[in-house]
Amino acid sequence: MRAVKGKNTSIERRLFSMLAGRGISGWRRHVRELPGNPDVVFHSNHLVIFVDGCFWHGCPTCKRKLPKTNRAYWKNKITRNVEIARVASAELKKDGWVVVRIWEHQLRDANGLKTIGDRIEKLIDAGVI
Ligand SMILES: [Zn+2]
């Protein structure tokens, strides 16, 4: 899924710097040994975070338009991405991970970032296992 989830895209960096800015520690980025290569992993809390690209995962809020050419290809690719993400989430949950999926668009504005930061802090404070 490398082509789908570019490493260290600017949108991901917003998430990383938000976590760092709040003094949230104990996480690693892009952990390949877990299903779906989560973007952020809190090992001791058994918490993983994925950032789903609005185009690549067919975000229902943004409804990003498909390219004019090869529409069937793109549609199929997005459907597959969603399915792969669903399977990865299910596998992780089965193994006792708490899975948080964030839409790319939620990281684009300060309010969205704050909401996500609050949610993650709450999960960590709750000592999710
Ligand atoms: Zn979106």
Side-chain angles (χ1 to χ4, degrees):
M1 298 294 281
R2 286 295 87 183
V4 174
K5 301 200 324 176
K7 268 194 131 189
N8 294 317
T9 57
S10 63
I11 203 76
E12 286 177 317
R13 276 202 298 272
R14 287 181 68 99
L15 173 64
F16 302 147
S17 56
M18 179 274 283
L19 293 172
R22 282 176 167 242
I24 299 175
S25 58
W27 49 276
R28 282 173 53 209
R29 322 178 215 186
H30 305 297
V31 178
R32 287 166 192 236
E33 59 266 30
L34 290 174
N37 305 328
D39 293 292
V40 176
V41 175
F42 294 81
H43 269 284
S44 56
N45 298 85
H46 271 241
L47 171 68
V48 296
I49 304 173
F50 290 94
V51 178
D52 290 339
C54 290
F55 173 77
W56 296 105
H57 289 261
C59 172
T61 303
C62 299
K63 296 190 179 86
R64 297 268 300 272
K65 283 202 172 75
L66 293 174
K68 285 197 168 63
T69 53
N70 294 325
R71 292 178 74 88
Y73 166 81
W74 290 110
K75 216 173 161 192
N76 186 37
K77 190 162 182 65
I78 290 167
T79 303
R80 218 168 57 224
N81 288 341
V82 171
E83 177 59 13
I84 288 167
R86 196 189 59 74
V87 169
S89 287
E91 269 181 56
L92 285 161
K93 284 177 189 166
K94 205 177 74 200
D95 291 341
W97 291 89
V98 173
V99 179
V100 173
R101 300 202 84 100
I102 300 169
W103 284 110
E104 173 192 346
H105 73 254
Q106 293 178 282
L107 297 174
R108 290 201 185 280
D109 72 285
N111 274 344
L113 265 176
K114 187 186 174 305
T115 304
I116 291 159
D118 291 348
R119 185 172 163 204
I120 292 165
E121 268 180 8
K122 209 177 272 177
L123 285 169
I124 291 169
D125 289 347
V128 289
I129 295 203

